Amino acid sequence: MRMIDLIIKKRNGHTLTQTEFDFVAQGAANGTVPDYQLSAFLMACFLHPLSDAETAMLTKAMAHSGGRLDFSASTQLPKVDKHSTGGVGDGISMALAPLVACAGVAVPMMSGRGLGHTGGTLDKLESIKNFEVRIPAKLIYRQIQKLGVCMFGQTKDLAPADKKLYSLRDATGTVESRPLIVASILSKKYAEGVDSLLMDVKYGSGAFMQKLEDSRKLARALVHTAKLLGLKCRALITYMDQPLGRAIGNANEMRQTVQILKGNKILAPDFYELLLQEATEMLLICGKYKDAQKARALLEAKIESGEAAAKLREMIKWQGGSPRAVDDPENYFQNAKLSQTIKADKNGYVAHIDAKTAGMAGVLLGAGRNTMEDEIDYGAGIWLYKKAGDKVKKGDTIAMLYASDKKRLKDGVTLFKTAVQLSAKRPAPYKIVKEIIK
Ligand code: URA
């Protein structure tokens, strides 16, 4: 087989076979196909979008370009994971994985790092001192067998073709192709060896897709392709025009997670609601529960009894951190050296806090990165004392911003102020989960 023939075939709008996609993915992973040919191939796929069947074939080919996790010897429980398309303040995963594991399913959760205004679960977990996310497969199997939950990063060996193709898409104007996005996301999940998957596809200013209709199309394509691959899958379309919860920034978000898993429901009602809805869906998708109300009641009971917090404590211990982080979050997590309050300059309501601007303010404060090489300040971030719909009086604290450097704090404050809109009238409430795609 020759790569030039496959490029021409796709350029002319023809359908490729599994063997041909395997050739491309293997060539991307082991370097036998040069970047210029892979780039031309990606552009051909962009101009002649892959059919659903082709998307599934490319996904499989990319997933098989490296090793796949296989939990068959470690657990007979259903194996379920969640993927979020990313957002601001979206620290759901750190609460979700231990909570769902308490319900008697296995949760091997593979996550990524933050870039730009979007945070990353691995960075948040690493704000726990010594928490290890680079875990060899053997230890992931063992932790899943003994504890039912493990949170880890993508190993070099997992879907290496995606790594190569994704970096070329970035440089060739082919990122926006929906079939390529679907294959990229699902190849990693398919390689992870789970049988059930919840997709959280966000829409709004802080999301990968800003428009609801685009998120809907992506969600449908993800669910459809996942099913073609034999995965059980549903997607939630969720709101990301404003930050989720009260915390932005790594240690801040971990503190919030700990409080919520310890039963503080009112700390961040939107976060709590999304957590419960996602956890419920995960139990329904994998078939552990048939009745949503029963599943939700069980999950709430796991929080109230302290079992969910205990699971988080154990997971932290298994992965090298101190379980004390759960008992003493205020003092345990890193704090930034400086802080500044943002106050309301008039009476009224908080009308809107723009997610993307708030996320970018977080990056300026030091909580995120502009390039993958940037260092993170785990203590930097934002705590939202007020959210959209809250009444404020002039001088009330809307948010507290944290940084470890004067210039960073000043820049973050200046940008964050532009994210906040006050109004005389109470804004209409928004729904955190817009739709479920089955
Ligand atoms: N996330 C991914 O992993 N891949 C894409 O192509 C887009 C978002």
Side-chain angles (χ1 to χ4, degrees):
M1 203 175 290
R2 293 188 325 153
M3 189 63 194
I4 177 71
D5 299 325
L6 304 188
I7 295 170
I8 291 170
K9 194 170 172 187
K10 199 34 61 211
R11 184 202 67 189
N12 292 343
H14 299 299
T15 302
L16 299 190
T17 64
Q18 183 68 62
T19 317
E20 289 167 335
F21 280 116
D22 289 343
F23 179 83
V24 176
Q26 290 300 331
N30 60 28
T32 50
V33 175
D35 288 3
Y36 53 83
Q37 285 192 311
L38 292 171
S39 301
F41 176 78
L42 289 168
M43 186 55 82
C45 293
F46 185 91
L47 297 173
H48 298 283
L50 303 183
S51 67
D52 292 347
E54 283 183 298
T55 308
M57 286 190 268
L58 176 61
T59 308
K60 229 181 220 174
M62 293 205 296
H64 287 294
S65 66
R68 267 187 93 198
L69 294 180
D70 176 1
F71 291 97
S72 54
S74 23
T75 183
Q76 296 311 307
L77 298 175
K79 295 163 289 293
V80 56
D81 189 11
K82 179 220 55 162
H83 176 84
S84 160
T85 56
V88 179
D90 179 18
I92 292 279
S93 294
M94 297 93 71
L96 185 68
L99 173 60
V100 174
C102 286
V105 299
V107 189
M109 189 175 274
M110 189 171 73
S111 306
R113 297 197 180 274
L115 187 62
H117 66 279
T118 352
T121 300
L122 298 184
D123 301 320
K124 296 170 198 184
L125 289 167
E126 283 178 347
S127 72
I128 305 168
K129 202 164 164 229
N130 297 328
F131 191 97
E132 189 52 77
V133 295
R134 286 155 303 180
I135 310 181
K138 243 172 47 193
L139 295 184
I140 298 176
Y141 297 146
R142 195 169 137 71
Q143 192 172 322
I144 286 294
Q145 184 181 35
K146 301 280 181 203
L147 191 65
V149 59
C150 183
M151 298 183 79
F152 52 94
Q154 186 183 352
T155 59
K156 269 203 199 116
D157 187 38
L158 219 91
D162 173 61
K163 199 163 190 194
K164 180 74 196 177
L165 293 175
Y166 195 38
S167 69
L168 290 175
R169 280 167 60 210
D170 228 5
T172 55
T174 51
V175 168
E176 292 88 348
S177 159
R178 196 178 313 119
L180 294 181
I181 295 170
V182 169
S184 167
I185 293 175
L186 287 181
S187 62
K188 288 166 278 201
K189 294 295 166 187
Y190 188 69
E192 191 195 23
V194 291
D195 38 56
S196 308
L197 189 57
L198 173 68
M199 304 298 314
D200 176 358
V201 182
K202 300 196 176 290
Y203 73 96
S205 89
F208 178 59
M209 301 263 162
Q210 282 84 53
K211 292 196 194 116
L212 174 60
E213 190 45 35
D214 290 340
S215 297
R216 198 178 272 136
K217 284 182 187 157
L218 178 61
R220 285 190 186 132
L222 283 164
V223 171
H224 185 64
T225 309
K227 287 183 179 168
L228 288 178
L229 292 163
L231 294 171
K232 297 181 201 164
C233 183
R234 286 185 191 178
L236 297 184
I237 300 189
T238 68
Y239 178 86
M240 187 34 74
D241 218 29
Q242 303 190 61
L244 181 67
R246 297 208 178 269
I248 299 170
N250 302 288
N252 261 353
E253 292 188 44
M254 278 310 305
R255 283 193 191 96
Q256 176 177 260
T257 294
V258 166
Q259 296 292 356
I260 285 177
L261 274 196
K262 282 162 79 178
N264 189 344
K265 289 185 191 184
I266 55 166
L267 176 72
D270 58 344
F271 185 105
Y272 187 79
E273 184 51 31
L274 187 56
L275 172 65
L276 264 289
Q277 287 208 35
E278 290 198 355
T280 302
E281 284 302 324
M282 285 168 81
L283 296 183
L284 296 178
I285 297 168
C286 70
K288 181 79 187 174
Y289 278 81
K290 299 242 172 315
D291 182 300
Q293 276 177 349
K294 278 195 188 139
R296 188 176 169 123
L298 173 102
L299 291 160
E300 292 205 85
K302 297 287 180 192
I303 294 177
E304 275 152 30
S305 67
E307 229 180 288
K311 190 66 95 177
L312 175 64
R313 213 179 266 117
E314 278 182 84
M315 183 181 80
I316 293 174
K317 197 165 157 201
W318 267 84
Q319 296 191 226
S322 167
R324 290 277 309 143
V326 177
D327 304 300
D328 191 10
E330 282 319 309
N331 294 314
Y332 194 88
F333 288 102
Q334 201 171 311
N335 290 304
K337 295 192 188 107
L338 308 169
S339 63
Q340 186 169 328
T341 49
I342 306 292
K343 296 190 185 246
D345 56 7
K346 58 184 176 201
N347 294 341
Y349 292 90
V350 176
H352 194 80
I353 299 177
D354 180 66
K356 181 159 187 192
T357 313
M360 285 315 297
V363 176
L364 292 178
L365 292 166
R369 359 175 133 73
N370 285 311
T371 71
M372 274 333 252
E373 286 70 42
D374 291 350
E375 294 253 326
I376 278 186
D377 173 0
Y378 292 113
I382 301 169
W383 190 271
L384 301 170
Y385 285 90
K386 301 284 182 195
K387 300 257 300 175
D390 287 344
K391 200 168 184 176
V392 286
K393 286 206 297 279
K394 186 173 176 185
D396 280 355
T397 298
I398 292 177
M400 183 78 90
L401 271 57
Y402 301 91
S404 294
D405 167 297
K406 271 191 190 159
K407 170 142 179 26
R408 281 191 170 279
L409 187 60
K410 186 166 169 279
D411 291 348
V413 165
T414 306
L415 185 60
F416 180 75
K417 281 182 176 167
T418 69
V420 182
Q421 278 173 33
L422 302 185
S423 64
K425 273 175 60 181
R426 190 191 287 275
Y430 54 86
K431 269 176 101 169
I432 201 76
V433 175
K434 186 83 183 160
E435 286 165 28
I436 302 179
I437 310 277
K438 294 184 184 175

